[in-house]
Structure formats: structure tokens, C-alpha cells
Amino acid sequence: MGFGLCGFKSHPRHQVAPRIVVDVMGADRPPGELAAGAAQAAAKLPLDLVVVGDARQIEPHLPDLPNVSLLHCPLFVDPEEKPVEAARRTDTSLARGLALLAQGQADAFLSPGNTGAVVATALLQLGRLPGVHRPALCASLPTLKGKEVLLVDAGASADYKPPYLLQFASMGAAYARVVLDVALPTVGLLNIGTEPHKGDTLTQQAHALLAERPDFRGNVEPHTVLTERPVDVVVTGGFSGNLFLKALEGGVEAVTEALRRELHRSLRARLGGWIARPALRAVARGLGYREHNAAPLLGVRGLVFVAHGRSDAPAVAGAVRRVFKVCQADFLAQLPPF
């Protein structure tokens, strides 16, 4: 493992293995735990891993692997820091990690930190792809159908115009085809009803534009996304997309807590819970975010990913595995022109 308290020890780029940079600072969990999770994935995959963060907190938890390096950077973006202010800083783990990508010294960047700061800093350092109006976060959600569904935009841009959603559809469909191996991805528009006239003016205008796409299947109501999985890609503005995600998250937490309380209410309930434990664990794994924990920021000049802020070591390992898969698929080279 090559590292130094004064900075990153560079070495020649591997001809095959992608170099993935993981910023482990500014999230809910300790940097050492997140670094250990990233290293778990690196130990099993042909990749070069660069962990960015405070060496004093990370080094004791990082295994000595030939494909793992540590870039010491104790300063980081606070979760409450404003994105625009964070993007102007050059001394943070986020800025220094993205700089490696911008300078061509890495193939992908991953962070479970401040999402707004990741988006703003990526835009400043990398810029948008030619013709792209706005970047979009592409969240991957598990469904009851056993196949994930993509949500674009999950929170990169709060305000939008209808043409933006048209590009979100193109980028999301390309990701589904190239990374998820969906031969002919279908697209839907998140709305309060399936009828074309439903929704506010912007949503109706977006529907009219999307209707010209042969892969468009109309409006999709939120309650059907995880249960019926009517399409492969659901497009929406970043504000409503992030609200949708947070509502889902809160609902899952509420149901989980209610179930936990009921299973401890009596001896009979505890016995039933013990019997059902394998099934409950299987459901939790299927609907968990650990293996769907790397949302790509589509539309920027580089592979940038945002992980869940509450990620633990297994979640970061899952995120690194997804980033590796995207690198192997050579996703950016297969994006359609805009």
C-alpha cells in the first residue's frame, strides 16, 4: 500500500484495471470503517483503489494491499456546508479526489458525503458533456419484481425545464442498456396519475416531449415504481425525485420499526419472528440499498458517483463493485450525443 502524510504517491496507470477514487470523509460513519469497506471490494476485484481522507483515522483500518493507496487529506466538506461554497474549496478530500479524475489520474470517483457539494464540485472541475443542459443523479432502486429500476433525476438539479427530462431519459436509458444489460429499456414520467393531462404545466410539457420517444410508456405513479415496476427508467425533476426517495426511505424505516416492535410484543410474536427470520432477512437484503448504492452523476465529463450518506462498510463495498462494473462497461463512450 503506498501512502504518505504529505500526499498521494502516484504511479503509472494500469492498462486494464480501472483506478477508483473513494472519498471517505464527511459521511455519517467513521472514515476508517468506510475505507475498510472499499478495501474489501478492492481485495476481490482487478482495480486500483485510492482512498482519500485523514490518514490518522484511516490507516489502522486499511489492509496492506498492493492495489490500495491512501491520499492523506484531513479537511472535508461538512454535511451542512453550502454546495457552492464547498465547490470553491480546493483543500478538501472531495476536491482533491475529484482533481485526480479531472487530471486523468483516475477512472471514477465515489463519495458518500454531501451530495450537493459533490454535484457542484464535479461541475466546476469536470464540466458538462457537450450539449447536456443539466447533470442528473441516477438512483438504482430494488423492486418486488427482482429487477432494479432507475430514477433520474434523484436530486442533482432542483429546478428543471421539460427539455432536461428528455435528456435525462436518454442518459438513463443508455445506463440501463450498457450497465444493467437491458436490451430495450422503457421510460416513464413520474406523475400523480397515468393520464397525459395530469400534473403541473411543466410535467405536462415534459410528457409531450417524451411522447415522441418510441421507448416512452407514459406517466408512472409513485406507488407502482417498486411494486409493479412498469418501466426500466423513471424520469422526473431533481426536487420531486429526491422527495420521492426520501418518502420511500421513511416508509421503509417506519414499516421496519413497526414490525420490530410487534415481534417483541409477546412471547408468541417473538417465536413467530424467530421462525420467519430467514425470510425477513432475505426481504431486507432484496430491498436494501447496499448493492444499489452508487448513483452515477450523469452528464458530466467523467464517472462520478454518490453513495448513501449513511453507508456502512458493506454498503461502500457494494458501491465500489457497482462503480467497477460501470468502468468495465465503458459507459461514457457509449452515451448518445446531445
Side-chain angles (χ1 to χ4, degrees):
M1 178 177 64
F3 62 87
L5 295 182
C6 295
F8 170 65
K9 182 185 289 185
S10 62
H11 54 84
R13 294 288 307 280
H14 198 288
Q15 294 183 353
V16 177
R19 176 176 286 172
I20 298 174
V21 178
V22 181
D23 171 22
V24 296
M25 303 295 287
D28 292 355
R29 300 275 186 151
E33 177 183 347
L34 303 186
Q40 288 173 13
K44 300 178 180 179
L45 294 172
L47 59 84
D48 290 330
L49 175 69
V50 181
V51 177
V52 187
D54 187 352
R56 291 163 295 186
Q57 299 183 61
I58 297 170
E59 185 181 349
H61 305 275
L62 205 58
D64 188 6
L65 297 172
N67 63 332
V68 176
S69 299
L70 173 59
L71 170 58
H72 174 59
C73 186
L75 300 179
F76 61 92
V77 176
D78 188 90
E80 302 301 324
E81 195 166 346
K82 293 182 179 179
V84 175
E85 295 177 358
R88 295 194 184 105
R89 298 177 60 186
T90 60
D91 59 351
T92 64
S93 56
L94 169 61
R96 295 189 66 185
L98 276 170
L100 293 177
L101 181 62
Q103 294 163 6
Q105 297 183 47
D107 298 289
F109 172 85
L110 169 71
S111 173
N114 185 320
T115 299
V118 174
V119 174
T121 308
L123 278 172
L124 183 63
Q125 292 203 22
L126 302 172
R128 296 192 297 267
L129 290 170
V132 171
H133 299 304
R134 290 287 188 278
L137 277 173
C138 178
S140 179
L141 307 175
T143 71
L144 295 181
K145 296 294 184 179
K147 296 173 59 179
E148 55 196 292
V149 63
L150 301 178
L151 178 71
V152 191
D153 175 24
S157 304
D159 300 314
Y160 78 94
K161 296 179 181 179
Y164 300 175
L165 298 194
L166 197 59
Q167 289 191 344
F168 293 173
S170 295
M171 292 189 292
Y175 188 84
R177 184 179 64 257
V178 175
V179 178
L180 304 185
D181 299 319
V182 180
L184 297 172
T186 54
V187 175
L189 175 64
L190 192 69
N191 207 337
I192 58 174
T194 58
E195 300 85 353
H197 64 273
K198 287 292 182 71
D200 58 15
T201 302
L202 286 177
T203 306
Q204 293 177 24
Q205 293 174 352
H207 187 284
L209 290 177
L210 289 165
E212 299 178 6
R213 295 178 57 96
D215 57 1
F216 185 58
R217 298 296 180 267
N219 290 331
V220 172
E221 294 186 76
H223 70 276
T224 67
V225 173
L226 302 190
T227 54
E228 300 176 17
R229 195 188 178 278
V231 293
D232 299 298
V233 182
V234 177
V235 295
T236 185
F239 181 75
S240 56
N242 199 254
L243 277 179
F244 174 62
L245 279 183
K246 284 181 166 57
L248 280 179
E249 198 172 89
V252 170
E253 290 179 356
V255 171
T256 301
E257 178 60 20
L259 184 60
R260 188 192 67 81
R261 291 181 182 181
E262 288 300 320
L263 290 177
H264 288 82
R265 191 174 295 276
S266 66
L267 177 61
R268 183 177 182 181
R270 287 195 292 272
L271 178 60
W274 182 80
I275 295 174
R277 185 164 53 179
L280 294 174
R281 285 180 174 174
V283 170
R285 285 194 301 269
L287 295 179
Y289 64 86
R290 285 189 171 94
E291 292 301 323
H292 306 82
N293 190 33
L297 181 61
L298 304 178
V300 295
R301 294 175 181 264
L303 292 178
V304 178
F305 297 81
V306 177
H308 201 292
R310 291 187 292 177
S311 296
D312 55 10
V316 171
V320 172
R321 286 193 291 270
R322 173 54 62 94
V323 175
F324 173 77
K325 182 177 181 180
V326 178
C327 290
Q328 292 293 92
D330 197 18
F331 171 66
L332 288 179
Q334 301 187 59
L335 269 175
F338 297 100

